[in-house]
Amino acid sequence: MHRRMVNLTLDSLEAVPGRCRSCVFWELSPLCADSGEVGDPGLEKEAWVSQTLLEWGGCGRIAYEGERVAGFITYASPKFVPRSVEFPSGPVSPDAALLMTAYVKPAYSGTGLGRQLVQAVASDMARRGVYALEAFGDARAESNACLVPADFYRSVGFKTVRADPRYPRLRLELRPVTGRDSEASEPAELPEPVEWFELDDFELEQFFDEPNIIRPRSDRPGVRRLGR
């Protein structure tokens, strides 16, 4: 079956699966989220996509298998990702774009779609003169709709640049450190094979206590609980 990818835009945003369409975990600052003044999450998501596209450029890809949505990935300059400052392994390097979140439907797990999504982002960023991708991985690989397991990132070539028992920061070089001014530099090729993670509707329910509700602050990255 034919596989294709489309850019994330206001028109294609409606194709983003399930509650991810209205999840603003990455897009809103912690202070804004805690203020209780957050508007409709779906509208907040649209506003973020619109602003990021206008001021920075492409910030996501949606993958189709035939006519069915198979998965998606989002990314941006850390300047557009307020949540990134809360992680203890931050901040994101100034020469890197941040991979925010990704999702592959269970039916397409193990097909290499996860690797293809990351490769699409890497190619886009290399063309735009960005030298690296960074991401905050989930070291425990727990069910979490907003964080990708760290082992997945490592399987496609990311290296840990700042360790953390919960949320390590990982990095994928897109061009050689030497000769960065060379126009001949090519994006890094991602190794194969790659095993992707699965999130089904039940797992998403475990992450969101109720639809469109932001997690309590004590559950967020960067907030250490007593005894940890």
Side-chain angles (χ1 to χ4, degrees):
M1 186 174 293
H2 178 64
R3 180 174 291 174
R4 60 189 174 91
M5 292 191 189
V6 302
N7 294 330
L8 179 66
T9 65
L10 289 178
D11 290 333
S12 63
L13 182 59
E14 294 304 319
V16 171
R19 296 199 177 104
C20 297
R21 165 63 179 82
S22 298
C23 174
V24 288
F25 173 82
W26 291 102
E27 293 86 353
L28 294 184
S29 70
L31 290 178
C32 179
D34 288 341
S35 69
E37 300 177 357
V38 178
D40 177 80
L43 295 178
E44 296 283 358
K45 189 87 164 187
E46 291 178 12
W48 182 87
V49 170
S50 177
Q51 179 185 13
T52 305
L53 287 172
L54 180 64
E55 299 182 13
W56 187 71
C59 55
R61 295 286 188 275
I62 301 173
Y64 285 82
E65 193 83 15
E67 297 302 316
R68 296 177 180 270
V69 174
F72 76 96
I73 193 166
T74 57
Y75 57 100
S77 163
K79 296 178 181 179
F80 292 88
V81 191
R83 181 67 58 180
S84 65
V85 302
E86 237 191 278
F87 288 81
S89 57
V92 176
S93 303
D95 65 343
L98 177 66
L99 270 183
M100 297 158 60
T101 193
Y103 173 79
V104 168
K105 287 189 172 181
Y108 304 101
S109 178
T111 65
L113 179 56
R115 180 192 62 82
Q116 291 175 3
L117 285 166
V118 174
Q119 184 67 70
V121 177
S123 296
D124 180 31
M125 290 295 90
R127 286 193 300 268
R128 290 160 63 177
V130 177
Y131 296 132
L133 291 174
E134 292 191 358
F136 296 102
D138 180 2
R140 299 178 186 174
E142 295 178 346
S143 177
N144 189 319
C146 294
L147 291 168
V148 175
D151 283 346
F152 168 76
Y153 286 128
R154 295 188 184 101
S155 74
V156 295
F158 281 73
K159 306 296 182 184
T160 301
V161 291
R162 186 168 181 183
D164 183 82
R166 190 67 177 87
Y167 303 109
R169 178 162 53 94
L170 304 102
R171 180 179 174 96
L172 177 68
E173 296 286 346
L174 303 184
R175 298 182 179 183
V177 175
T178 57
R180 279 182 168 174
D181 293 333
S182 172
E183 293 297 327
S185 298
E186 295 294 334
E189 288 297 326
L190 305 184
E192 295 189 56
V194 171
E195 290 299 325
W196 188 242
F197 68 102
E198 297 182 9
L199 288 172
D200 57 25
D201 290 340
F202 174 78
E203 290 172 320
L204 291 175
E205 290 288 349
Q206 305 309 302
F207 178 74
F208 295 93
D209 294 332
E210 296 180 28
N212 300 332
I213 298 296
I214 297 174
R215 289 190 298 170
R217 187 175 182 84
S218 61
D219 288 333
R220 292 185 188 145
V223 179
R224 298 190 178 277
R225 302 177 184 173
L226 294 176
R228 287 182 60 182

